[in-house]
Amino acid sequence: VILFPWKPLADTLRVFTDADHAGCRRTRKSTSGGAVMWGQCLLKAWSRTQTLIALSSGESELAAGTKAAAEGFGVQAVLSDFGFSVKLEVHSDATAAIGICKRQGLGRMRHLAISGLWVQQRVRLKQLKLSKLPGKENPADMMTKYLSSPLLVKFCKALGIISKEGRSSLAPALSTLPPTHE
């Protein structure tokens, strides 16, 4: 069950992101994962295989951070259409990716795709705040790797996801008709 608590509206979207470098044993592609939170409400979550093979963990984390920023800006635009003005923060455990996004240009990282560097401009214009969040505190960690049950429960709780037994009282009654066999 995803909970949407009745609380005052937050002024900031928080996007959590993570990547596993070369996590697919067959293709060696990385997986990006993330979650967009508005206050205590989960608005969007994803886990997707990256299209390119990353040459380093920094590159796969940069791709994940770029995806997280794009998702965050998309949700921010939708909220703006409804008259809500919110700031945007992206939280990652990747020091290298955060460092790349906070500087200007490629530096010595010539092999990186330039398509991910638009985030640098958004950071420079203060339209996006990037911050470091240790993996053991980052709920996006569960979108990219196997975790222990206690850590999964912790991250689900952080995203407002809880487990409940039984069937909702609002759900339609189960059919009492026997199945048809043809």
Side-chain angles (χ1 to χ4, degrees):
V1 175
I2 299 176
L3 301 175
F4 292 92
W6 193 261
K7 302 262 184 181
L9 296 174
D11 68 344
T12 303
L13 281 177
R14 293 175 299 132
V15 185
F16 300 96
T17 185
D18 189 41
D20 73 334
H21 178 245
C24 177
R25 292 181 185 199
R26 187 178 58 79
T27 65
R28 302 318 286 168
K29 290 182 178 180
S30 305
T31 300
S32 295
V36 179
M37 298 289 294
W38 189 20
Q40 294 179 339
C41 298
L42 175 65
L43 299 183
K44 183 170 190 172
W46 66 91
S47 178
R48 294 189 187 108
T49 303
Q50 294 178 1
T51 55
L52 299 175
I53 297 174
L55 299 179
S56 67
S57 60
E59 185 177 6
S60 66
E61 292 282 4
L62 177 62
T66 300
K67 170 73 173 162
E71 295 288 351
F73 281 118
V75 172
Q76 185 184 50
V78 169
L79 290 175
S80 177
D81 289 345
F82 285 103
F84 298 102
S85 177
V86 294
K87 295 176 275 190
L88 182 59
E89 295 178 357
V90 173
H91 303 277
S92 171
D93 64 356
T95 305
I98 292 170
I100 291 166
C101 290
K102 286 187 174 180
R103 68 177 184 226
Q104 190 169 354
L106 289 171
R108 294 180 296 163
M109 307 285 289
R110 298 275 181 231
H111 70 280
L112 292 180
I114 294 180
S115 62
L117 299 183
W118 61 269
V119 175
Q120 291 178 341
Q121 181 181 26
R122 296 293 186 109
V123 170
R124 216 173 20 264
L125 294 172
K126 299 191 185 314
Q127 297 170 344
L128 170 65
K129 180 181 175 187
L130 295 172
S131 62
K132 171 93 169 145
L133 184 66
K136 297 299 180 205
E137 301 300 319
N138 187 347
D141 211 36
M142 73 177 175
M143 278 68 147
T144 60
K145 49 188 76 72
Y146 296 102
L147 299 175
S148 67
S149 182
L151 205 49
L152 282 173
V153 169
K154 173 186 171 180
F155 288 155
C156 282
K157 186 177 178 183
L159 296 177
I161 301 169
I162 62 168
S163 177
K164 287 197 167 202
E165 295 289 326
R167 193 167 167 80
S168 169
S169 61
L170 300 174
L174 294 173
S175 175
T176 56
L177 297 175
T180 59
H181 299 285
E182 292 185 31

